[in-house]
Amino acid sequence: MATPTEENYLKALLALADEAGRTTISKLGEALQVSTPSANSMVRKLSERGLVDYQKYQPLRLTEAGRKAAALVVRKHRLTEMFLVDVMGFGWEEVHTIAEQIEHVDSPDFFARMDKLMGHPKTDPHGSPIPDAEGGIDDFDHRRLDECLVGETVTISGLDHTSNDFLYYLNGRDLSLRTELTIAKKEAYDGSLTVSYPGHPREVLSKVVASKLLVE
């Protein structure tokens, strides 16, 4: 059984992995806000347990066992976030910190019942995929809103950024998952979009915001 700290490292390694599944000690330390020597020490420990492929001066890579362990931590986190929003009525901006604590509970039955109670949701409140009980993660065919064309009507299906500041920004503009947007105009100068959606006949979204909204 992994400790909460070890689980946080595994989860960070999964999140930081590039298309080839690799990342570096420095990026890992930066993400977890720890020194490079501290990150290096923990990675060596995880390597000894067969969870990380570690070689000095080489990129890091989760082993298959490590990837599954990391995905199951993510599963617990995202199931908890969904439960807090759908069952308990929390806002999507309120759940991350609570889920960070609950994700370390070592009780597969607890999370299996949570999953069943909600009807086995495929995504969390922010549109991110919930790994299955074996650690499998579905890929979703998203585009970023800033990649869409004038005249298109699209539906928000996920977020590429979930900081509280961003979630509060979206709340203030009545933007949430499943909001249907029609793109009326795109500024050539700065890439900002003028969009319309229910209750908002004309709303301007910056390119920064549009790049963080995933749509289908």
Side-chain angles (χ1 to χ4, degrees):
M1 173 180 152
T3 67
T5 299
E6 290 169 344
E7 289 186 336
N8 286 338
Y9 269 82
L10 292 171
K11 189 171 67 167
L13 285 165
L14 182 64
L16 293 168
D18 61 17
E19 291 185 359
R22 301 168 302 184
T23 190
T24 64
I25 286 282
S26 59
K27 288 181 180 178
L28 180 62
E30 182 179 344
L32 292 170
Q33 298 182 319
V34 299
S35 68
T36 297
S38 292
N40 194 66
S41 176
M42 177 58 76
V43 165
R44 284 176 178 270
K45 183 177 179 181
L46 294 172
S47 176
E48 290 170 0
R49 294 183 53 194
L51 300 173
V52 176
D53 182 6
Y54 169 78
Q55 299 178 48
K56 199 171 183 179
Y57 307 124
Q58 296 298 315
L60 305 172
R61 187 195 306 267
L62 288 167
T63 64
E64 185 55 34
R67 194 210 63 79
K68 180 177 179 179
L72 291 179
V73 179
V74 172
R75 170 178 169 78
K76 293 189 290 184
H77 183 101
R78 292 179 179 172
L79 277 174
T80 298
E81 287 194 333
M82 199 64 180
F83 186 85
L84 290 168
V85 170
D86 269 14
V87 178
M88 300 188 72
F90 282 85
W92 64 349
E93 76 285 356
E94 299 178 287
V95 297
H96 178 73
T97 301
I98 303 171
E100 286 275 289
Q101 300 172 54
I102 296 176
E103 71 185 30
H104 300 300
V105 172
D106 182 31
S107 176
D109 285 347
F110 174 79
F111 292 100
R113 293 189 186 194
M114 183 186 288
D115 187 25
K116 183 178 179 181
L117 183 63
M118 293 187 292
H120 309 290
K122 297 297 185 183
T123 61
D124 73 3
H126 312 107
S128 300
I130 297 174
D132 64 30
E134 298 303 316
I137 304 176
D138 289 336
D139 289 326
F140 293 104
D141 187 19
H142 296 300
R143 288 184 294 160
R144 298 185 330 198
L145 181 60
D146 65 320
E147 297 171 335
C148 298
L149 303 175
V150 172
E152 282 193 83
T153 296
V154 295
T155 301
I156 298 175
S157 54
L159 306 178
D160 195 35
H161 186 71
T162 57
S163 72
N164 275 9
D165 286 346
F166 185 50
L167 296 175
Y168 279 119
Y169 172 91
L170 297 178
N171 287 348
R173 285 154 182 77
D174 299 322
L175 288 168
S176 61
L177 298 190
R178 295 179 290 280
T179 298
E180 188 175 84
L181 305 164
T182 298
I183 303 169
K185 183 180 180 182
K186 179 181 285 190
E187 290 291 344
Y189 176 68
D190 63 2
S192 61
L193 300 179
T194 301
V195 300
S196 62
Y197 53 97
H200 295 258
R202 179 181 174 84
E203 189 79 42
V204 177
L205 303 178
S206 70
K207 180 176 176 59
V208 171
V209 169
S211 70
K212 295 174 181 177
L213 294 175
L214 305 178
V215 300
E216 56 187 21

